[in-house]
Amino acid sequence: MNIIQRNFFRMIRIGAFEQKEQIEPMSVYKWSQLYQLAVLHDVAGYVYEGLQRSKEQFFLHLTDKQWQLWERTVAEMRKKARRADEEPDEFLRADHLTNPLLNKKLQAILDDEQSDMRTRQLLLTIIRVSRHILNEGVPIRQLAELGLYLRSDGHRADFTTLGGWLKTLQLQQVAKLEAWLLIELYGFRKEEIAFAGDKRDKNVEQVAQELIEFTNARARDFYFLQDAGDVFVHTSNGSAMLGHIHRSARYFRYYPSETLTNFFASFAHSLSHIEE
């Protein structure tokens, strides 16, 4: 990671998880880049809280204009406050899988009124992160929400039942990846995450770097479009579509049963953006 990314995650750890860390010195320009990174990944609230808690640190130097920009941004976010379980893109909602067989099993789990509600919520949060990994490649906020849920209510979840559900839905490998991303990026200990497994994922650093790349194209950027009066359909961002193919191939081993159906379902979802 470069210095901007390192301080970016420090701010999230300080702001969201109240960890005590020392920031590295950066120029005014680099603090502006960190602001853009926070807005891009929809974690400006966490980062701003981290900045507030770090005001007395010697190396934190923001101009008055930068503080004002942060304050305006966070104020606007609070006006548009949403619940943590809300998903702006219907396709990415956590209570649905694209693999028909797995989705049938998921619905049976969610329809079981005898199961523990906190454990079901933890399962849905794990699924939400996996959907974003497969489709957008930038689950920074979703990972933070998973970490916050583990810290606040995780101790009351039934991890024996959760382990059975992860096995039924073939989610063990992707859940393990999420656990090690929490350890790598947010400073969690392996002992805090029951589904982390015994061995560290050897690819976690590479995956983490890919997920936080500032220039990473998002899946929503390759929606298919059709200009007025034009009989030809084209993509809004060809490189984003190639990136989606690349991402599907990279994460196939983590969730093979969902990756293929997810790609084709995402393709069909993109076609729905063609104007009638």
Side-chain angles (χ1 to χ4, degrees):
M1 290 187 201
N2 60 42
I3 188 172
I4 299 173
Q5 294 167 347
R6 292 196 298 272
N7 274 338
F8 171 65
F9 281 103
R10 284 191 182 99
M11 289 299 102
I12 296 177
R13 292 193 293 267
I14 295 169
F17 301 106
E18 300 185 23
Q19 296 177 199
K20 296 184 182 300
E21 298 199 29
Q22 294 296 313
I23 59 179
E24 296 179 70
M26 293 199 308
S27 65
V28 170
Y29 172 76
K30 288 184 177 178
W31 281 112
S32 294
Q33 292 292 299
L34 189 147
Y35 166 81
Q36 294 178 29
L37 198 60
V39 172
L40 174 69
H41 291 290
D42 197 17
V43 289
Y46 299 141
V47 175
Y48 179 68
E49 186 64 31
L51 291 170
Q52 289 287 339
R53 291 175 179 168
S54 304
K55 271 187 172 181
E56 302 305 317
Q57 289 202 34
F58 181 76
F59 291 122
L60 181 61
H61 297 295
L62 272 67
T63 66
D64 290 341
K65 286 186 177 181
Q66 285 176 317
W67 279 115
Q68 291 167 8
L69 178 60
W70 273 107
E71 289 165 3
R72 287 198 305 271
T73 300
V74 173
E76 290 173 5
M77 287 178 55
R78 287 170 179 166
K79 287 181 181 178
K80 301 175 182 177
R82 60 166 184 78
R83 288 169 28 206
D85 61 347
E86 289 179 342
E87 184 57 66
D89 188 337
E90 179 70 11
F91 177 71
L92 294 175
R93 72 182 198 270
D95 62 348
H96 176 78
L97 293 171
T98 60
N99 183 301
L101 294 177
L102 294 183
N103 187 57
K104 184 177 181 180
K105 294 177 181 179
L106 173 61
Q107 300 312 312
I109 291 171
L110 298 179
D111 289 341
D112 182 5
E113 296 181 356
Q114 301 302 313
S115 62
D116 178 66
M117 184 172 62
R118 295 187 184 91
T119 309
R120 276 184 292 170
Q121 183 57 49
L122 180 53
L123 173 67
L124 287 173
T125 308
I126 291 171
I127 293 174
R128 177 175 292 108
V129 176
S130 70
R131 298 299 311 280
H132 276 267
I133 288 176
L134 293 178
N135 291 283
E136 298 217 322
V138 283
I140 303 303
R141 177 176 58 79
Q142 292 78 15
L143 273 173
E145 289 171 353
L146 173 58
L148 287 168
Y149 191 83
L150 285 169
R151 287 275 171 88
S152 63
D153 289 314
H155 63 286
R156 290 184 282 185
D158 182 345
F159 283 99
T160 300
T161 298
L162 178 68
W165 289 346
L166 294 178
K167 184 176 181 180
T168 296
L169 300 174
Q170 301 177 29
L171 272 163
Q172 299 116 306
Q173 285 301 110
V174 72
K176 179 180 176 182
L177 173 64
E178 293 171 23
W180 283 101
L181 286 171
L182 284 173
I183 294 167
E184 178 75 17
L185 300 176
Y186 295 142
F188 276 66
R189 292 177 290 105
K190 185 171 74 70
E191 294 73 24
E192 294 182 83
I193 313 175
F195 50 87
D198 297 326
K199 294 183 179 180
R200 181 178 185 274
D201 190 316
K202 63 181 180 180
N203 296 314
V204 67
E205 289 183 10
Q206 180 181 354
V207 172
Q209 185 61 46
E210 179 177 280
L211 294 178
I212 63 177
E213 281 300 327
F214 185 79
T215 57
N216 199 15
R218 306 183 74 165
R220 65 175 66 115
D221 292 332
F222 79 88
Y223 284 144
F224 290 86
L225 305 172
Q226 187 173 31
D227 296 330
D230 191 350
V231 297
F232 297 104
V233 175
H234 60 86
T235 63
S236 57
N237 187 335
S239 62
M241 184 174 184
L242 290 175
H244 192 68
I245 295 172
H246 170 75
R247 191 161 45 251
S248 295
R250 176 179 292 277
Y251 298 116
F252 179 80
R253 70 187 186 89
Y254 289 105
Y255 205 0
S257 54
E258 174 71 6
T259 302
L260 284 177
T261 54
N262 176 82
F263 176 78
F264 289 111
S266 178
F267 183 86
H269 179 65
S270 300
L271 289 175
S272 68
H273 287 251
I274 298 175
E275 295 184 5
E276 294 294 331

